[in-house]
Amino acid sequence: MTATTHTHPFVKMHGLGNDFAIFDARKSGLKMTPERARALSDRRRGIGCDQLIVMRASTTSDVFMEIWNADGSRVGACGNATRCVGKLLLDETGSSKVAIETDAGQLSAVLDGSNISVNMGPAVTGWQKIPLATETDTAAAEYELGPLRAPGCVNMGNPHAVFFVEEAEDVDLAHWGPKIEADAFFPERVNVSVATIRNGVIRQRVWERGAGITDACGSAACASVVAATRRGLADRKAVVELDGGRLGVEWLADGTVQMTGPTTFVYAGEVTL
């Protein structure tokens, strides 16, 4: 018996080059699996993306956002994807603010001029909640590998280790990123950033857990501002310059982090699954 197939529409979007294939499954009931996510994310044999996003119906928010990394792993948060989904929902509803439910909690998105601003929720700095394997001061964790040491560790719906270095461009992130991501010190793996601060701007490069080096990572930008503030290296409001462009980030007095930047629609398509 031949298996039943269905055609599923999607849109391709990116935030500063961090790209997504976004499926609207609020009515279609699209089933996603790690194997299917890997196949669709493949840049030669599939659509090609850093993360695959499935929008599902929510009883508490405008939408539930399911996030799959290119390697087929499921994650709780993605800042740039939240801005892209927020843009779709704001255009669809005509509302001034939308709520987006994720595995990491409820987020909100608003239009800010030509940009989308997202509240990414609270920055979590307790070592058990990041999580780390052993107790340490998360402002400058007792961890070292190769040329990288004493990261600021933050959970922004997903775990981050931010290493402050003299020159971010000089770090071989393709070599050290996967080693640190998979280190036993980080039980749930970790997003790895190297950051240099000049004239109040945080220059950051990111190795994303499950995706590799990406042009931008919104949650990593949020983590870098929190980590830099805790070390006295930056103010609570800063510009973060990633490979794909700049994001505005502010660690608010209530402990949540606001992140603002552009979104780009690339094309619409459909796949048969």
Side-chain angles (χ1 to χ4, degrees):
M1 179 181 296
T2 303
T4 302
T5 59
H6 298 278
T7 299
H8 299 276
F10 69 91
V11 295
K12 185 75 181 290
M13 297 183 72
H14 73 82
L16 301 180
N18 186 195
D19 63 337
F20 315 100
I22 304 174
F23 288 83
D24 187 349
R26 285 175 288 182
K27 296 180 180 179
S28 69
L30 169 65
K31 181 180 180 181
M32 191 54 59
T33 64
E35 295 75 21
R36 180 170 280 180
R38 282 195 296 271
L40 290 169
S41 300
D42 190 291
R43 295 191 181 276
R44 291 183 175 85
R45 296 179 175 86
I47 298 168
C49 56
D50 292 325
Q51 280 87 23
L52 187 144
I53 309 301
V54 183
M55 293 168 32
R56 301 195 186 277
S58 170
T59 58
T60 62
S61 306
D62 292 286
V63 75
F64 180 88
M65 184 174 70
E66 197 173 283
I67 310 165
W68 297 82
N69 279 331
D71 70 351
S73 58
R74 177 88 174 261
V75 292
C78 179
N80 287 322
T82 304
R83 287 190 295 106
C84 288
V85 169
K87 170 63 172 172
L88 292 175
L89 292 173
L90 289 165
D91 288 349
E92 175 187 290
T93 64
S95 300
S96 59
K97 183 178 182 178
V98 293
I100 300 169
E101 184 185 1
T102 72
D103 287 341
Q106 188 183 83
L107 309 177
S108 61
V110 299
L111 189 64
D112 185 348
S114 60
N115 293 322
I116 301 295
S117 184
V118 172
N119 188 295
M120 291 295 293
V124 177
T125 58
W127 72 272
Q128 305 99 322
K129 299 290 186 180
I130 291 174
L132 303 178
T134 58
E135 183 175 0
T136 185
D137 177 6
T138 59
E142 295 180 13
Y143 175 83
E144 179 177 345
L145 189 65
L148 302 176
R149 59 185 58 84
C153 296
V154 184
N155 189 301
M156 287 301 315
N158 48 16
H160 290 269
V162 182
F163 296 87
F164 295 100
V165 297
E166 288 189 9
E167 182 51 68
E169 312 299 332
D170 291 343
V171 176
D172 187 353
L173 195 56
H175 176 77
W176 295 110
K179 293 180 182 295
I180 296 172
E181 176 194 346
D183 195 291
F185 188 73
F186 304 100
E188 295 181 7
R189 299 190 295 162
V190 72
N191 296 279
V192 182
S193 294
V194 290
T196 301
I197 301 176
R198 292 197 180 90
N199 301 318
V201 174
I202 301 175
R203 170 65 180 121
Q204 181 177 21
R205 298 172 59 226
V206 186
W207 173 277
E208 283 200 57
R209 178 183 63 165
I213 294 175
T214 55
D215 284 347
C217 177
S219 60
C222 294
S224 72
V225 171
V226 172
T229 300
R230 296 183 73 208
R231 295 266 276 269
L233 302 173
D235 295 330
R236 296 178 75 96
K237 185 176 183 178
V239 171
V240 181
E241 182 181 326
L242 299 133
D243 287 348
R246 291 187 168 194
L247 293 171
V249 177
E250 183 174 4
W251 188 15
L252 302 174
D254 66 2
T256 65
V257 184
Q258 195 81 15
M259 181 257 298
T260 305
T263 64
T264 301
F265 174 87
V266 183
Y267 65 84
E270 57 183 30
V271 295
T272 301
L273 301 170

